[in-house]
Amino acid sequence: MADHAPHSDDAPLTATKLSDVAERAPDAGIEPQGNEISGRSVTINKPVAEVFARFRDFAQLPSFMENVERIDVLDDKRSHWVVKAPAGRTVEWDAIVTEERPDELIAWTSAEGADVANSGRIDFRDAGARGTVVTATIVYDPPGGIIGKVIAKMFQREPAIQARRDLRRFKQLLETGEIATPAMNPKQFEEMGL
């Protein structure tokens, strides 16, 4: 039987059984900026270079991230995020790219003073004829602790919920050129004379 350290865990960070996510985050290439973790994946039927390039254009991310109001690109490594929060509020932070490998990964951490401390990485893996597997892993501290997390879930603004929705919307946008919605958009209202 192999001798394992009492706290070793070789599972992906999103499936770890360790109680302290921050303990494992550096092993996954993520700055430890919180104790909550979310991980989601989606397969997009497009080449990895195209998927990576679209995601790396941070100013365009609000086109499919429904709770992101805007992202101001400050330079190649830094951007300022403004995100909707429960009760009509917004939260803001500066994100710093900590590692980038074209067509493979983008890792980031929030700068000191962030309204929501967070870090994570987006991995891009070539899936051959199926396209590209995109995996988002996010570590964060919910504002207001556990109560804040419950409130965010109630208002559908919790990062785990948003990561799933945003990746699905990103897939739709890249594969079809639009994001499906049951609501009428302004152009449809105009065409109907409403």
Side-chain angles (χ1 to χ4, degrees):
M1 178 181 260
D3 183 26
H4 294 285
H7 293 291
S8 71
D9 184 351
D10 61 357
L13 185 59
T14 55
T16 186
K17 293 191 189 294
L18 293 177
S19 60
D20 187 5
V21 170
E23 185 178 319
R24 283 276 325 279
D27 295 338
I30 299 173
E31 299 283 327
Q33 289 277 14
N35 288 316
E36 295 292 327
I37 186 164
S38 171
R40 297 286 184 255
S41 293
V42 67
T43 302
I44 300 173
N45 192 14
K46 291 288 181 180
V48 69
E50 181 179 342
V51 175
F52 181 90
R54 288 290 293 269
F55 198 93
R56 183 56 175 94
D57 186 0
F58 295 148
Q60 297 303 310
L61 297 182
S63 68
F64 67 87
M65 291 181 164
E66 64 185 337
N67 282 332
V68 176
E69 286 190 1
R70 76 174 198 276
I71 300 171
D72 301 321
V73 176
L74 305 174
D75 59 39
D76 283 350
K77 298 279 185 192
R78 295 177 340 112
S79 54
H80 182 78
W81 292 57
V82 179
V83 178
K84 296 175 191 171
R89 298 182 45 237
T90 59
V91 292
E92 300 185 31
W93 65 83
D94 285 348
I96 302 164
V97 174
T98 57
E99 183 178 2
E100 180 173 349
R101 291 193 302 253
D103 302 341
E104 287 183 40
L105 77 90
I106 302 168
W108 77 91
T109 188
S110 59
E112 190 173 325
D115 289 343
V116 177
N118 67 88
S119 58
R121 63 188 277 158
I122 307 293
D123 291 281
F124 304 84
R125 185 174 49 84
D126 187 341
R130 292 179 45 232
T132 304
V133 176
V134 179
T135 301
T137 305
I138 304 164
V139 179
Y140 65 99
D141 264 338
I146 198 72
I147 300 295
K149 184 177 180 183
V150 169
I151 291 169
K153 277 187 176 184
M154 287 174 30
F155 285 91
Q156 303 290 297
R157 303 244 194 259
E158 200 266 334
I161 294 169
Q162 282 310 122
R164 183 182 73 239
R165 287 181 174 174
D166 290 345
L167 284 176
R168 187 175 9 169
R169 292 164 58 88
F170 186 49
K171 175 183 174 71
Q172 289 174 4
L173 183 62
L174 285 179
E175 290 182 352
T176 69
E178 62 186 9
I179 298 169
T181 176
M184 289 179 57
N185 65 40
K187 184 177 179 185
Q188 290 170 316
F189 277 110
E190 184 180 298
E191 289 171 353
M192 294 181 68
L194 300 174

